[in-house]
PDB file of all heavy atoms in Angstrom:
ATOM      1  N   GLY A   1       0.705  23.361   3.876  1.00 98.00           N
ATOM      2  CA  GLY A   1       1.778  23.335   4.870  1.00 98.00           C
ATOM      3  C   GLY A   1       2.556  22.051   5.024  1.00 98.00           C
ATOM      4  O   GLY A   1       3.449  21.980   5.873  1.00 98.00           O
ATOM      5  N   ALA A   2       2.272  20.996   4.244  1.00 98.00           N
ATOM      6  CA  ALA A   2       2.985  19.732   4.405  1.00 98.00           C
ATOM      7  C   ALA A   2       4.371  19.804   3.776  1.00 98.00           C
ATOM      8  O   ALA A   2       4.536  20.337   2.679  1.00 98.00           O
ATOM      9  CB  ALA A   2       2.193  18.581   3.787  1.00 98.00           C
ATOM     10  N   ASP A   3       5.357  19.256   4.474  1.00 98.00           N
ATOM     11  CA  ASP A   3       6.711  19.102   3.938  1.00 98.00           C
ATOM     12  C   ASP A   3       6.996  17.650   3.558  1.00 98.00           C
ATOM     13  O   ASP A   3       8.147  17.314   3.257  1.00 98.00           O
ATOM     14  CB  ASP A   3       7.750  19.570   4.960  1.00 98.00           C
ATOM     15  CG  ASP A   3       8.075  21.051   4.832  1.00 98.00           C
ATOM     16  OD1 ASP A   3       7.471  21.719   3.972  1.00 98.00           O
ATOM     17  OD2 ASP A   3       8.912  21.539   5.608  1.00 98.00           O
ATOM     18  N   GLY A   4       5.995  16.808   3.602  1.00 98.00           N
ATOM     19  CA  GLY A   4       6.179  15.413   3.230  1.00 98.00           C
ATOM     20  C   GLY A   4       4.854  14.770   2.905  1.00 98.00           C
ATOM     21  O   GLY A   4       3.822  15.101   3.505  1.00 98.00           O
ATOM     22  N   ILE A   5       4.874  13.840   1.935  1.00 98.00           N
ATOM     23  CA  ILE A   5       3.660  13.145   1.478  1.00 98.00           C
ATOM     24  C   ILE A   5       3.973  11.653   1.446  1.00 98.00           C
ATOM     25  O   ILE A   5       4.639  11.153   0.540  1.00 98.00           O
ATOM     26  CB  ILE A   5       3.226  13.621   0.079  1.00 98.00           C
ATOM     27  CG1 ILE A   5       3.018  15.135   0.062  1.00 98.00           C
ATOM     28  CG2 ILE A   5       1.979  12.878  -0.364  1.00 98.00           C
ATOM     29  CD1 ILE A   5       1.870  15.624   0.906  1.00 98.00           C
ATOM     30  N   LEU A   6       3.503  10.943   2.456  1.00 98.00           N
ATOM     31  CA  LEU A   6       3.722   9.505   2.531  1.00 98.00           C
ATOM     32  C   LEU A   6       2.386   8.772   2.409  1.00 98.00           C
ATOM     33  O   LEU A   6       1.319   9.362   2.603  1.00 98.00           O
ATOM     34  CB  LEU A   6       4.421   9.125   3.839  1.00 98.00           C
ATOM     35  CG  LEU A   6       5.943   9.324   3.875  1.00 98.00           C
ATOM     36  CD1 LEU A   6       6.312  10.804   3.844  1.00 98.00           C
ATOM     37  CD2 LEU A   6       6.548   8.693   5.126  1.00 98.00           C
ATOM     38  N   GLN A   7       2.472   7.477   2.092  1.00 98.00           N
ATOM     39  CA  GLN A   7       1.260   6.692   1.852  1.00 98.00           C
ATOM     40  C   GLN A   7       1.225   5.474   2.783  1.00 98.00           C
ATOM     41  O   GLN A   7       2.241   5.028   3.286  1.00 98.00           O
ATOM     42  CB  GLN A   7       1.214   6.150   0.402  1.00 98.00           C
ATOM     43  CG  GLN A   7       2.021   6.908  -0.618  1.00 98.00           C
ATOM     44  CD  GLN A   7       1.458   8.266  -0.939  1.00 98.00           C
ATOM     45  OE1 GLN A   7       0.255   8.423  -1.057  1.00 98.00           O
ATOM     46  NE2 GLN A   7       2.327   9.256  -1.104  1.00 98.00           N
ATOM     47  N   PHE A   8       0.034   4.948   2.952  1.00 98.00           N
ATOM     48  CA  PHE A   8      -0.090   3.574   3.429  1.00 98.00           C
ATOM     49  C   PHE A   8      -0.645   2.755   2.259  1.00 98.00           C
ATOM     50  O   PHE A   8      -1.780   2.961   1.846  1.00 98.00           O
ATOM     51  CB  PHE A   8      -1.031   3.430   4.617  1.00 98.00           C
ATOM     52  CG  PHE A   8      -1.051   2.009   5.108  1.00 98.00           C
ATOM     53  CD1 PHE A   8      -0.095   1.565   6.006  1.00 98.00           C
ATOM     54  CD2 PHE A   8      -1.974   1.102   4.624  1.00 98.00           C
ATOM     55  CE1 PHE A   8      -0.076   0.247   6.423  1.00 98.00           C
ATOM     56  CE2 PHE A   8      -1.960  -0.218   5.027  1.00 98.00           C
ATOM     57  CZ  PHE A   8      -1.009  -0.643   5.935  1.00 98.00           C
ATOM     58  N   GLN A   9       0.177   1.893   1.790  1.00 97.00           N
ATOM     59  CA  GLN A   9       1.541   1.595   2.151  1.00 97.00           C
ATOM     60  C   GLN A   9       2.357   1.465   0.868  1.00 97.00           C
ATOM     61  O   GLN A   9       1.839   1.703  -0.222  1.00 97.00           O
ATOM     62  CB  GLN A   9       1.585   0.293   2.960  1.00 97.00           C
ATOM     63  CG  GLN A   9       0.980  -0.901   2.247  1.00 97.00           C
ATOM     64  CD  GLN A   9       1.042  -2.169   3.092  1.00 97.00           C
ATOM     65  OE1 GLN A   9       2.035  -2.444   3.764  1.00 97.00           O
ATOM     66  NE2 GLN A   9      -0.019  -2.949   3.060  1.00 97.00           N
ATOM     67  N   TRP A  10       3.643   1.096   0.978  1.00 98.00           N
ATOM     68  CA  TRP A  10       4.468   0.984  -0.223  1.00 98.00           C
ATOM     69  C   TRP A  10       3.954  -0.109  -1.145  1.00 98.00           C
ATOM     70  O   TRP A  10       3.608   0.129  -2.296  1.00 98.00           O
ATOM     71  CB  TRP A  10       5.925   0.729   0.145  1.00 98.00           C
ATOM     72  CG  TRP A  10       6.747   0.250  -1.017  1.00 98.00           C
ATOM     73  CD1 TRP A  10       7.256  -0.998  -1.203  1.00 98.00           C
ATOM     74  CD2 TRP A  10       7.110   0.997  -2.190  1.00 98.00           C
ATOM     75  NE1 TRP A  10       7.920  -1.085  -2.405  1.00 98.00           N
ATOM     76  CE2 TRP A  10       7.845   0.133  -3.037  1.00 98.00           C
ATOM     77  CE3 TRP A  10       6.885   2.290  -2.624  1.00 98.00           C
ATOM     78  CZ2 TRP A  10       8.353   0.525  -4.278  1.00 98.00           C
ATOM     79  CZ3 TRP A  10       7.391   2.699  -3.858  1.00 98.00           C
ATOM     80  CH2 TRP A  10       8.112   1.823  -4.669  1.00 98.00           C
ATOM     81  N   ARG A  11       3.900  -1.319  -0.662  1.00 98.00           N
ATOM     82  CA  ARG A  11       3.472  -2.453  -1.491  1.00 98.00           C
ATOM     83  C   ARG A  11       2.149  -2.988  -0.957  1.00 98.00           C
ATOM     84  O   ARG A  11       2.022  -3.261   0.240  1.00 98.00           O
ATOM     85  CB  ARG A  11       4.544  -3.550  -1.499  1.00 98.00           C
ATOM     86  CG  ARG A  11       4.228  -4.718  -2.422  1.00 98.00           C
ATOM     87  CD  ARG A  11       5.365  -5.728  -2.447  1.00 98.00           C
ATOM     88  NE  ARG A  11       6.485  -5.274  -3.261  1.00 98.00           N
ATOM     89  CZ  ARG A  11       6.581  -5.463  -4.578  1.00 98.00           C
ATOM     90  NH1 ARG A  11       5.603  -6.074  -5.231  1.00 98.00           N
ATOM     91  NH2 ARG A  11       7.642  -5.041  -5.229  1.00 98.00           N
ATOM     92  N   GLN A  12       1.166  -3.133  -1.821  1.00 98.00           N
ATOM     93  CA  GLN A  12      -0.150  -3.615  -1.416  1.00 98.00           C
ATOM     94  C   GLN A  12      -0.035  -5.030  -0.859  1.00 98.00           C
ATOM     95  O   GLN A  12       0.612  -5.904  -1.443  1.00 98.00           O
ATOM     96  CB  GLN A  12      -1.113  -3.608  -2.605  1.00 98.00           C
ATOM     97  CG  GLN A  12      -2.558  -3.921  -2.242  1.00 98.00           C
ATOM     98  CD  GLN A  12      -3.503  -3.712  -3.411  1.00 98.00           C
ATOM     99  OE1 GLN A  12      -3.080  -3.423  -4.532  1.00 98.00           O
ATOM    100  NE2 GLN A  12      -4.795  -3.863  -3.156  1.00 98.00           N
ATOM    101  N   SER A  13      -0.649  -5.260   0.302  1.00 97.00           N
ATOM    102  CA  SER A  13      -0.533  -6.548   0.982  1.00 97.00           C
ATOM    103  C   SER A  13      -1.127  -7.681   0.157  1.00 97.00           C
ATOM    104  O   SER A  13      -2.153  -7.506  -0.516  1.00 97.00           O
ATOM    105  CB  SER A  13      -1.237  -6.494   2.345  1.00 97.00           C
ATOM    106  OG  SER A  13      -0.609  -5.582   3.207  1.00 97.00           O
ATOM    107  N   ARG A  14      -0.494  -8.845   0.241  1.00 97.00           N
ATOM    108  CA  ARG A  14      -1.022 -10.030  -0.416  1.00 97.00           C
ATOM    109  C   ARG A  14      -1.985 -10.779   0.493  1.00 97.00           C
ATOM    110  O   ARG A  14      -2.860 -11.519   0.020  1.00 97.00           O
ATOM    111  CB  ARG A  14       0.123 -10.958  -0.831  1.00 97.00           C
ATOM    112  CG  ARG A  14      -0.304 -12.129  -1.727  1.00 97.00           C
ATOM    113  CD  ARG A  14       0.890 -12.913  -2.215  1.00 97.00           C
ATOM    114  NE  ARG A  14       1.577 -13.603  -1.139  1.00 97.00           N
ATOM    115  CZ  ARG A  14       1.225 -14.810  -0.681  1.00 97.00           C
ATOM    116  NH1 ARG A  14       0.195 -15.451  -1.208  1.00 97.00           N
ATOM    117  NH2 ARG A  14       1.899 -15.377   0.283  1.00 97.00           N
ATOM    118  N   GLN A  15      -1.843 -10.594   1.808  1.00 96.00           N
ATOM    119  CA  GLN A  15      -2.676 -11.308   2.781  1.00 96.00           C
ATOM    120  C   GLN A  15      -3.055 -10.356   3.915  1.00 96.00           C
ATOM    121  O   GLN A  15      -2.484  -9.280   4.062  1.00 96.00           O
ATOM    122  CB  GLN A  15      -1.914 -12.504   3.357  1.00 96.00           C
ATOM    123  CG  GLN A  15      -1.579 -13.585   2.346  1.00 96.00           C
ATOM    124  CD  GLN A  15      -0.683 -14.655   2.951  1.00 96.00           C
ATOM    125  OE1 GLN A  15       0.419 -14.376   3.403  1.00 96.00           O
ATOM    126  NE2 GLN A  15      -1.181 -15.887   2.963  1.00 96.00           N
ATOM    127  N   GLY A  16      -4.006 -10.785   4.723  1.00 96.00           N
ATOM    128  CA  GLY A  16      -4.362 -10.036   5.915  1.00 96.00           C
ATOM    129  C   GLY A  16      -5.547  -9.109   5.711  1.00 96.00           C
ATOM    130  O   GLY A  16      -6.156  -9.040   4.641  1.00 96.00           O
ATOM    131  N   ALA A  17      -5.852  -8.350   6.757  1.00 96.00           N
ATOM    132  CA  ALA A  17      -7.047  -7.518   6.781  1.00 96.00           C
ATOM    133  C   ALA A  17      -6.991  -6.376   5.780  1.00 96.00           C
ATOM    134  O   ALA A  17      -8.031  -5.790   5.448  1.00 96.00           O
ATOM    135  CB  ALA A  17      -7.267  -6.964   8.192  1.00 96.00           C
ATOM    136  N   GLU A  18      -5.786  -6.020   5.306  1.00 97.00           N
ATOM    137  CA  GLU A  18      -5.668  -4.890   4.388  1.00 97.00           C
ATOM    138  C   GLU A  18      -5.247  -5.321   2.986  1.00 97.00           C
ATOM    139  O   GLU A  18      -4.632  -4.560   2.238  1.00 97.00           O
ATOM    140  CB  GLU A  18      -4.684  -3.868   4.969  1.00 97.00           C
ATOM    141  CG  GLU A  18      -5.256  -3.227   6.232  1.00 97.00           C
ATOM    142  CD  GLU A  18      -4.307  -2.262   6.921  1.00 97.00           C
ATOM    143  OE1 GLU A  18      -3.118  -2.587   7.052  1.00 97.00           O
ATOM    144  OE2 GLU A  18      -4.775  -1.196   7.344  1.00 97.00           O
ATOM    145  N   THR A  19      -5.624  -6.542   2.619  1.00 97.00           N
ATOM    146  CA  THR A  19      -5.280  -7.058   1.294  1.00 97.00           C
ATOM    147  C   THR A  19      -5.779  -6.140   0.188  1.00 97.00           C
ATOM    148  O   THR A  19      -5.091  -5.937  -0.819  1.00 97.00           O
ATOM    149  CB  THR A  19      -5.879  -8.470   1.109  1.00 97.00           C
ATOM    150  OG1 THR A  19      -5.337  -9.339   2.110  1.00 97.00           O
ATOM    151  CG2 THR A  19      -5.579  -9.020  -0.273  1.00 97.00           C
ATOM    152  N   PHE A  20      -6.950  -5.566   0.362  1.00 97.00           N
ATOM    153  CA  PHE A  20      -7.542  -4.769  -0.706  1.00 97.00           C
ATOM    154  C   PHE A  20      -7.445  -3.267  -0.443  1.00 97.00           C
ATOM    155  O   PHE A  20      -8.132  -2.478  -1.079  1.00 97.00           O
ATOM    156  CB  PHE A  20      -8.986  -5.209  -0.939  1.00 97.00           C
ATOM    157  CG  PHE A  20      -9.066  -6.645  -1.387  1.00 97.00           C
ATOM    158  CD1 PHE A  20      -9.493  -7.632  -0.515  1.00 97.00           C
ATOM    159  CD2 PHE A  20      -8.653  -7.005  -2.653  1.00 97.00           C
ATOM    160  CE1 PHE A  20      -9.542  -8.958  -0.913  1.00 97.00           C
ATOM    161  CE2 PHE A  20      -8.688  -8.332  -3.060  1.00 97.00           C
ATOM    162  CZ  PHE A  20      -9.131  -9.314  -2.195  1.00 97.00           C
ATOM    163  N   HIS A  21      -6.581  -2.895   0.498  1.00 98.00           N
ATOM    164  CA  HIS A  21      -6.212  -1.489   0.657  1.00 98.00           C
ATOM    165  C   HIS A  21      -5.097  -1.204  -0.346  1.00 98.00           C
ATOM    166  O   HIS A  21      -4.126  -1.940  -0.443  1.00 98.00           O
ATOM    167  CB  HIS A  21      -5.716  -1.239   2.084  1.00 98.00           C
ATOM    168  CG  HIS A  21      -5.525   0.204   2.435  1.00 98.00           C
ATOM    169  ND1 HIS A  21      -4.591   1.013   1.825  1.00 98.00           N
ATOM    170  CD2 HIS A  21      -6.147   0.991   3.353  1.00 98.00           C
ATOM    171  CE1 HIS A  21      -4.639   2.221   2.350  1.00 98.00           C
ATOM    172  NE2 HIS A  21      -5.585   2.230   3.279  1.00 98.00           N
ATOM    173  N   SER A  22      -5.240  -0.130  -1.119  1.00 98.00           N
ATOM    174  CA  SER A  22      -4.273   0.146  -2.183  1.00 98.00           C
ATOM    175  C   SER A  22      -2.881   0.391  -1.628  1.00 98.00           C
ATOM    176  O   SER A  22      -2.706   0.788  -0.472  1.00 98.00           O
ATOM    177  CB  SER A  22      -4.722   1.373  -2.980  1.00 98.00           C
ATOM    178  OG  SER A  22      -4.788   2.512  -2.147  1.00 98.00           O
ATOM    179  N   GLY A  23      -1.886   0.147  -2.456  1.00 98.00           N
ATOM    180  CA  GLY A  23      -0.498   0.436  -2.133  1.00 98.00           C
ATOM    181  C   GLY A  23       0.146   1.175  -3.282  1.00 98.00           C
ATOM    182  O   GLY A  23      -0.377   1.221  -4.403  1.00 98.00           O
ATOM    183  N   MET A  24       1.309   1.765  -3.011  1.00 98.00           N
ATOM    184  CA  MET A  24       2.030   2.456  -4.080  1.00 98.00           C
ATOM    185  C   MET A  24       2.404   1.479  -5.184  1.00 98.00           C
ATOM    186  O   MET A  24       2.386   1.820  -6.367  1.00 98.00           O
ATOM    187  CB  MET A  24       3.271   3.142  -3.511  1.00 98.00           C
ATOM    188  CG  MET A  24       2.948   4.230  -2.494  1.00 98.00           C
ATOM    189  SD  MET A  24       4.417   4.923  -1.682  1.00 98.00           S
ATOM    190  CE  MET A  24       5.101   5.938  -2.993  1.00 98.00           C
ATOM    191  N   VAL A  25       2.767   0.257  -4.779  1.00 98.00           N
ATOM    192  CA  VAL A  25       2.966  -0.835  -5.737  1.00 98.00           C
ATOM    193  C   VAL A  25       1.746  -1.735  -5.628  1.00 98.00           C
ATOM    194  O   VAL A  25       1.612  -2.506  -4.683  1.00 98.00           O
ATOM    195  CB  VAL A  25       4.245  -1.634  -5.446  1.00 98.00           C
ATOM    196  CG1 VAL A  25       4.431  -2.731  -6.490  1.00 98.00           C
ATOM    197  CG2 VAL A  25       5.464  -0.721  -5.399  1.00 98.00           C
ATOM    198  N   PRO A  26       0.799  -1.640  -6.559  1.00 98.00           N
ATOM    199  CA  PRO A  26      -0.428  -2.431  -6.447  1.00 98.00           C
ATOM    200  C   PRO A  26      -0.194  -3.892  -6.798  1.00 98.00           C
ATOM    201  O   PRO A  26       0.896  -4.284  -7.233  1.00 98.00           O
ATOM    202  CB  PRO A  26      -1.376  -1.749  -7.436  1.00 98.00           C
ATOM    203  CG  PRO A  26      -0.502  -1.020  -8.382  1.00 98.00           C
ATOM    204  CD  PRO A  26       0.800  -0.736  -7.703  1.00 98.00           C
ATOM    205  N   HIS A  27      -1.234  -4.717  -6.605  1.00 98.00           N
ATOM    206  CA  HIS A  27      -1.119  -6.138  -6.947  1.00 98.00           C
ATOM    207  C   HIS A  27      -0.684  -6.326  -8.396  1.00 98.00           C
ATOM    208  O   HIS A  27       0.048  -7.275  -8.705  1.00 98.00           O
ATOM    209  CB  HIS A  27      -2.461  -6.842  -6.710  1.00 98.00           C
ATOM    210  CG  HIS A  27      -2.806  -6.982  -5.258  1.00 98.00           C
ATOM    211  ND1 HIS A  27      -4.106  -7.078  -4.806  1.00 98.00           N
ATOM    212  CD2 HIS A  27      -2.035  -7.037  -4.140  1.00 98.00           C
ATOM    213  CE1 HIS A  27      -4.116  -7.201  -3.492  1.00 98.00           C
ATOM    214  NE2 HIS A  27      -2.869  -7.176  -3.063  1.00 98.00           N
ATOM    215  N   ALA A  28      -1.103  -5.439  -9.268  1.00 97.00           N
ATOM    216  CA  ALA A  28      -0.752  -5.558 -10.687  1.00 97.00           C
ATOM    217  C   ALA A  28       0.649  -5.041 -10.994  1.00 97.00           C
ATOM    218  O   ALA A  28       1.111  -5.145 -12.134  1.00 97.00           O
ATOM    219  CB  ALA A  28      -1.773  -4.801 -11.537  1.00 97.00           C
TER     220      ALA A  28
END
């Protein structure tokens, strides 16, 4: 039933508590 698929987050953080949470644009 979803009409949209979004992520957290677009670009993986370089700093902060979510540095190692994946992003659509990873560190690499």
Side-chain angles (χ1 to χ4, degrees):
D3 271 2
I5 304 294
L6 279 68
Q7 336 290 319
F8 183 85
Q9 57 180 319
W10 165 251
R11 184 177 283 274
Q12 188 172 5
S13 296
R14 189 174 67 85
Q15 295 173 300
E18 293 176 316
T19 300
F20 298 105
H21 190 295
S22 61
M24 297 174 74
V25 182
H27 289 154

